[in-house]
Amino acid sequence: MPLLIVIGAILLLVILVAWFKLNTFLSFLIVSLLMGLALGMDISAITQSIQTGIGKTLGSLIVVIVAGSMLGKLVAESGAGQRIAGGLMKLLGPKYVQWSLMITGFVVGIPLFYNIGFVLMVPLIFMVAGRTGLPAVYLGIPMLASLSVTHGYLPPHPSPTALVQTFHASMGLTLLYGILVAIPAIILAGPVFSRFLKGYTNPPSQIFTTKELPENDIPGMGASLFAAMLPVLLLAFTAVAKLWIPENTFGYKVASWLGDPLIVMLLAVLNGMYLLGLRRKTPMKKVMGLMDEAVKDVAVIILVIGGSGALTQLLNDSKVSSYIADSLQQLHLHPLVLAWGIAAIIRVCIGSATVAGLTTAAIVAPLIPASGVNPNLMVLATGAGSLMFSHVNDAGFWMFKEYFNLTVKDTIKTWSVMETIVSVTGLAGTLLLSLFV
């Protein structure tokens, strides 16, 4: 019955948004309230879960989204994105621009948290789409597939890192095996799958779209790359530094502080303001005007993400994830398939890849010593399952929908299918790798 209630709630959400065209944030609130009542939760507990979910989700994302939007606005309006897009086109040519974006997403995605990578890379995708005339969805899917895979499979991202510890795996081997599994997953979900997406010619959201500027009026390649990629450089530098600096030392604390997403994005915005604005004699008033526009542009997206957090928290507080996991634990399956399956179903019901991965870890960790399965591969199988079929209860789904200006139906046919390919290919690659390690 709890599972049927969750399925019914998700269907109601789809109907309210897609059929009745109700505001997405209000739809989330209505569905969360009704689902809580159907699950027998106390009325006060329902409202508390909604408030907690919105607060927790926005508390961790709002700085990243707003600061990323500000930096993205600077990159787009100053012409830095145009300069970077031109450099990519000259390096690999228009024929392979999709592959260049995919590789960029993978390299950037290893040290970069997913949400930061998303808001930083979307302006570049839009700029390349404007330069080449190719659909934004066609260009964006390969890069976002790369970001998604690194988020779900590879340390130092939060969920894989926690899974390494829970399963007593090796961080280095997990990263090595993860890259081997990630490459075919990204290629299939990116350039191969996106061949079928050229028909999605919707103009992207106006958040970062700008007119092309004369070559003499835009920043140089060095300044453009440094401004756009400073978050990547900071995260990569601090991650490497923490491997060499002993823990519990002052240097380690400084590296950890500089690697915090909040600090990274704040420094990136300040650097962007200088390199792309003030240094080029742009008046402070105009720079601040761009910042204000960036905040207004993402206000709707912030509300939608907050609504999805309310639904996720309610599902978690109602113990639905535990109910589903306990039911699946009785099945006699290969540990890798079991870990992937449990994570996949929790992901579909809850929406959070991190919650799905960590919940699954608590269930299947005791199976590792008895079965003799490679713990590094268990990390990858669980991570792959946690990416399965992102849909209306996942913040990433709504970010993609709003940024790329798609309907719910088209978002499912593009984004959700891409995430499914990434998940299933990850399981297949992990099972194949288990024959050799």
Side-chain angles (χ1 to χ4, degrees):
M1 183 59 69
L3 183 57
L4 291 177
I5 292 172
V6 171
I7 294 173
I10 292 172
L11 289 175
L12 176 60
L13 181 63
V14 173
I15 291 171
L16 290 176
V17 174
W19 193 359
F20 290 101
K21 309 298 182 184
L22 187 64
N23 177 274
T24 305
F25 179 67
L26 294 178
S27 298
F28 269 119
L29 294 182
I30 292 170
V31 169
S32 297
L33 287 168
L34 293 177
M35 188 180 68
L37 292 172
L39 290 170
M41 294 180 65
D42 183 79
I43 295 176
S44 60
I46 295 172
T47 54
Q48 183 61 48
S49 286
I50 291 174
Q51 294 172 13
T52 301
I54 293 174
K56 285 173 61 177
T57 302
L58 294 184
S60 61
L61 292 180
I62 194 167
V63 173
V64 171
I65 293 173
V66 171
S69 298
M70 290 177 173
L71 182 59
K73 197 75 172 179
L74 285 169
V75 169
E77 293 286 349
S78 68
Q82 179 181 326
R83 179 71 76 185
I84 294 170
L88 285 171
M89 294 289 290
K90 291 178 182 177
L91 182 63
L92 296 177
K95 184 177 179 180
Y96 297 104
V97 68
Q98 203 183 28
W99 285 79
S100 68
L101 290 174
M102 180 190 72
I103 295 169
T104 301
F106 185 72
V107 173
V108 166
I110 291 177
L112 197 63
F113 292 130
Y114 178 81
N115 294 300
I116 300 176
F118 188 101
V119 296
L120 282 178
M121 293 299 106
V122 163
L124 181 57
I125 293 168
F126 290 176
M127 185 62 69
V128 174
R131 290 287 299 271
T132 62
L134 295 169
V137 172
Y138 170 76
L139 292 173
I141 283 291
M143 173 174 280
L144 297 177
S146 296
L147 293 177
S148 182
V149 165
T150 56
H151 169 69
Y153 291 14
L154 306 179
H157 289 269
S159 182
T161 301
L163 293 175
V164 165
Q165 296 176 347
T166 303
F167 293 152
H168 302 291
S170 164
M171 188 80 73
L173 285 176
T174 299
L175 185 60
L176 174 61
Y177 295 159
I179 291 174
L180 294 177
V181 174
I183 291 172
I186 292 171
I187 292 174
L188 288 176
V192 174
F193 171 59
S194 63
R195 290 182 181 180
F196 304 98
L197 305 180
K198 287 187 176 180
Y200 291 92
T201 56
N202 307 47
S205 170
Q206 296 299 310
I207 292 175
F208 298 120
T209 55
T210 56
K211 293 182 179 180
E212 198 163 330
L213 302 173
E215 287 289 314
N216 295 332
D217 294 342
I218 60 178
M221 179 61 79
S224 299
L225 282 173
F226 185 71
M229 295 295 126
L230 182 59
V232 180
L233 298 175
L234 282 174
L235 287 170
F237 173 76
T238 54
V240 172
K242 287 166 67 176
L243 295 175
W244 295 96
I245 301 174
E247 291 189 35
N248 300 321
T249 63
F250 178 74
Y252 189 89
K253 291 180 180 179
V254 171
S256 298
W257 186 76
L258 287 175
D260 186 283
L262 187 151
I263 301 301
V264 166
M265 293 310 301
L266 177 60
L267 292 176
V269 170
L270 293 176
N271 178 69
M273 287 171 53
Y274 173 71
L275 282 183
L276 305 180
L278 303 178
R279 185 188 182 198
R280 300 175 58 240
K281 310 302 182 183
T282 303
M284 175 64 82
K285 185 176 181 180
K286 183 176 180 180
V287 174
M288 291 300 101
L290 292 176
M291 300 295 185
D292 293 342
E293 289 178 20
V295 175
K296 293 175 184 177
D297 288 337
V298 296
V300 174
I301 296 175
I302 289 172
L303 283 176
V304 169
I305 293 172
S308 71
L311 182 62
T312 298
Q313 185 67 34
L314 200 73
L315 289 168
N316 194 39
D317 290 347
S318 64
K319 309 299 182 184
V320 172
S321 60
S322 300
Y323 170 82
I324 297 169
D326 291 341
S327 300
L328 292 177
Q329 197 172 11
Q330 306 304 319
L331 300 177
H332 299 288
L333 295 172
H334 190 288
L336 294 176
V337 177
L338 182 62
W340 179 87
I342 294 175
I345 292 180
I346 295 175
R347 154 72 159 187
V348 171
C349 293
I350 300 297
S352 169
T354 301
V355 171
L358 299 183
T359 304
T360 302
I363 298 166
V364 301
L367 301 177
I368 295 178
S371 64
V373 67
N374 189 306
N376 304 292
L377 299 184
M378 284 290 281
V379 174
L380 299 180
T382 305
S386 73
L387 298 176
M388 182 65 176
F389 194 71
S390 164
H391 61 99
V392 295
N393 62 354
D394 177 26
F397 177 93
W398 296 103
M399 289 176 69
F400 183 82
K401 175 190 176 298
E402 298 296 333
Y403 275 78
F404 286 82
N405 195 25
L406 297 173
T407 64
V408 170
K409 179 182 177 181
D410 286 343
T411 307
I412 291 173
K413 291 166 68 176
T414 54
W415 170 266
S416 300
V417 173
M418 178 273 285
E419 289 282 83
T420 301
I421 293 172
V422 162
S423 179
V424 174
T425 306
L427 172 63
T430 303
L431 288 172
L432 181 63
L433 199 56
S434 69
L435 301 176
F436 304 97
V437 299

